[in-house]
Amino acid sequence: MGQSKDNTLILMDEFLTYNYGIQPEIIKLATVATQDIKDYIWDISSISAYNQLKVLAAMKESGLSDFHLNDSTGYGYSDVGRETIEDIYKLVFKAEDAIVRPQIISGTHAITLCLFGILRPGDELLSVTGAPYDTLFDVISGTNCGSLKDFNINYSQVDLLVDGKPDYETISDRIRSNPPQMVLIQRSRGYSLRPSLNLDEIEELIGFIKNLNRNIVCFVDNCYGEFAETKEPIEVGADLCAGSLIKNLGGGIVPGGGYVVGRESLVAQCFSRLTVPGLEKNCGPSLQTNRLIVQGLFYAPLIVGEALKGGIFTSRMLELAGFDVFPRYSEKRSDIVTAAIIGDKNLLISFCEGLQAAGPVDARVAPVPWAMPGYDNEIIMAAGCFIQGASIELSADAPLRPPYAIYIQGGLNLTHVKVGIMSALQRLLNQGYELKNRP
Ligand SMILES: *Cc1c(COP(=O)(O)O)cnc(C)c1O
């Protein structure tokens, strides 16, 4: 390749200004950011290519055929399409067994199946990566809603150290003094400023725990993490792992669902919880999802790559604009989330309005903060998505609490992420915010 220069944005100037009200100052900043991130974008392309081959090979090995793309109804017996999809997930995750179902309504539901599938009254759950994702609070310790606590299952957590690494000393003390039946490891940052845990770190953490007590079930909340690296949690020793199909693995086209992968006996317990105690996995209608689930998985490596590239652009752009960002554009990523401290409630809302205004759907809608079910603070969410709530599509969420951090994730293509971030930053300038690095 000769000298490459991304002039695309420059060619699009008029269009950006006319349709999105983006001024030259922001366009120049985006041009600088685009130059700065070039090498990191190449790294992502090779991760995408590796994962694409992993998926392609799994589809070949499973014998995926045209007739598997059809669906079942009712009880869903003899649904060879659903069975083949679960075989493909097993191969991709290097897991003994998998459940991939439209009946799982969200990532939280998939994680809940794992918690209730494995834990029994009197058991202990230990989170070794600090507070879990917001929507799990009620699942773990809600009152009179059928939470773990209501079933006399105890929960405790070991917070991450200030540098975001696991606190091995405290974990060791806790496991020795009060051995848990299950350990929860959250890969992604979720709605916090902690870093995501990469697969090497997860491997070290699981090795450490198993060394203390090999009977502890190591469970990984894999939401937002899939295909961000070349390995997945089961390969590095996790017993069980779960996530959502409207995030990474849905490739932007799966209308809903979730998955659980891991050891066969554990996955069977989770399936009993999803459906009927003792029921085997050979039932459950795919309704109209088989083709979309398998096609979404096929797209996922590419789409996650675009989201990661968009995240790298977002980090560089917001850093140039003067904000603290997590992670920085040059840091290794293990999830598709980029966080930035906006530091002011009104600017945070303006940012979301700007991002929403650049979406493909509902660009004319202004997002407003609301008390979303499952969350403690009011949340503002900007998303012009094709699939409701799909956060593999470009979206920005923020709980309205100090330090007023914004969490930006997804993006089905890099161009949309660029326009979204430019539009969001432009709104801040319109509110009187001054760029730190005037290009
Ligand atoms: C999104 C997410 C969840 C919950 O998933 P939903 O599909 O929104 O219920 C859980 N954990 C993490 C880390 C997440 O990012």
Side-chain angles (χ1 to χ4, degrees):
M1 289 238 346
Q3 239 193 335
S4 68
K5 194 163 191 298
D6 188 341
N7 282 323
T8 336
L9 288 168
I10 297 163
L11 296 173
M12 289 179 181
D13 280 11
E14 274 179 52
F15 181 69
L16 291 172
T17 307
Y18 180 75
N19 289 85
Y20 295 97
I22 298 165
Q23 299 303 314
E25 206 177 3
I26 295 287
I27 298 174
K28 274 188 213 145
L29 200 67
T31 310
V32 173
T34 299
Q35 280 298 315
D36 291 349
I37 63 174
K38 255 185 350 205
D39 290 347
Y40 301 98
I41 296 280
W42 275 109
D43 292 346
I44 299 301
S45 297
S46 55
I47 293 173
S48 278
Y50 180 89
N51 286 320
Q52 191 68 63
L53 279 173
K54 193 194 278 186
V55 167
L56 197 58
M59 288 180 177
K60 179 178 160 76
E61 193 173 337
S62 72
L64 179 66
S65 187
D66 185 55
F67 62 87
H68 291 132
L69 308 178
N70 299 319
D71 303 286
S72 64
T73 55
Y75 294 122
Y77 291 122
S78 310
D79 187 333
V80 286
R82 184 197 66 223
E83 287 166 8
T84 304
I85 287 170
E86 292 182 342
D87 283 344
I88 294 169
Y89 265 69
K90 280 191 237 176
L91 291 164
V92 166
F93 279 93
K94 303 190 172 48
E96 283 175 17
D97 211 348
I99 311 173
V100 186
R101 303 288 171 127
Q103 285 83 10
I104 300 175
I105 65 158
S106 63
T108 306
H109 188 192
I111 295 163
T112 300
L113 296 177
C114 296
L115 299 177
F116 280 91
I118 308 307
L119 294 163
R120 297 291 176 263
D123 281 356
E124 176 85 17
L125 170 68
L126 176 68
S127 166
V128 290
T129 46
Y133 192 73
D134 293 43
T135 55
L136 292 169
F137 290 177
D138 276 344
V139 176
I140 291 170
S141 52
T143 315
N144 292 330
C145 59
S147 66
L148 291 178
K149 189 174 142 215
D150 286 339
F151 282 92
N152 192 28
I153 295 161
N154 194 41
Y155 168 78
S156 61
Q157 77 189 34
V158 177
D159 289 334
L160 293 166
L161 297 168
V162 273
D163 64 357
K165 305 293 178 209
D167 179 353
Y168 281 101
E169 226 178 282
T170 310
I171 293 171
S172 165
D173 289 347
R174 205 63 73 76
I175 290 179
R176 283 174 208 276
S177 63
N178 186 19
Q181 277 63 40
M182 189 173 185
V183 150
L184 168 63
I185 297 168
Q186 184 181 306
R187 177 175 178 181
S188 168
R189 68 174 63 252
Y191 281 163
S192 75
L193 294 173
R194 55 157 278 206
S196 56
L197 277 192
N198 67 48
L199 268 288
D200 291 339
E201 291 167 325
I202 292 175
E203 181 162 31
E204 188 185 342
L205 183 56
I206 293 174
F208 181 82
I209 292 164
K210 292 280 183 187
N211 211 16
L212 289 168
N213 182 338
R214 52 188 292 277
N215 295 323
I216 297 172
V217 173
C218 291
F219 167 68
V220 176
D221 169 359
N222 207 25
C223 284
Y224 283 145
E226 302 92 347
F227 293 154
E229 295 186 66
T230 53
K231 283 189 201 162
E232 297 297 334
I234 304 296
E235 299 169 65
V236 299
D239 298 298
L240 199 61
C241 135
S244 165
L245 298 190
I246 61 167
K247 291 182 177 177
N248 302 21
L249 292 184
I253 63 166
V254 178
Y259 74 94
V260 174
V261 293
R263 274 172 32 210
E264 195 174 352
S265 59
L266 302 178
V267 171
Q269 281 173 249
C270 298
F271 189 73
S272 275
R273 173 69 199 196
L274 171 65
T275 58
V276 174
L279 205 62
E280 288 187 23
K281 273 183 58 223
N282 61 357
C283 55
S286 51
L287 304 171
Q288 298 189 355
T289 61
N290 276 346
R291 177 178 60 79
L292 291 169
I293 289 177
V294 78
Q295 204 174 353
L297 182 68
F298 185 71
Y299 278 123
L302 174 74
I303 300 297
V304 172
E306 290 296 288
L308 288 167
K309 290 172 187 175
I312 293 170
F313 174 82
T314 300
S315 289
R316 186 56 180 152
M317 194 64 177
L318 294 182
E319 183 177 1
L320 288 172
F323 299 104
D324 285 334
V325 296
F326 308 88
R328 291 197 61 209
Y329 75 104
S330 51
E331 284 176 283
K332 187 176 169 184
R333 284 168 198 252
S334 192
D335 69 14
I336 59 164
V337 185
T338 304
I341 296 179
I342 303 296
D344 175 274
K345 185 174 165 181
N346 291 325
L347 287 182
L348 191 66
I349 295 171
S350 298
F351 188 97
C352 291
E353 287 169 354
L355 194 110
Q356 175 91 27
V361 181
D362 283 336
R364 296 178 182 189
V365 169
V368 287
W370 68 304
M372 202 176 155
Y375 294 87
D376 279 350
N377 296 84
E378 273 201 316
I379 306 263
I380 183 164
M381 292 196 161
C385 292
F386 295 100
I387 307 284
Q388 192 191 102
S391 39
I392 185 60
E393 299 185 47
L394 180 62
S395 46
D397 317 329
L400 291 183
R401 63 187 179 214
Y404 298 104
I406 183 91
Y407 298 85
I408 304 155
Q409 60 275 317
L412 300 180
N413 58 71
L414 178 56
T415 303
H416 176 208
V417 179
K418 286 185 174 181
V419 178
I421 298 300
M422 282 191 271
S423 170
L425 269 183
Q426 184 64 52
R427 294 294 173 109
L428 300 195
L429 298 204
N430 298 351
Q431 291 288 314
Y433 178 79
E434 291 195 20
L435 293 179
K436 192 180 85 181
N437 295 290
R438 204 166 277 280

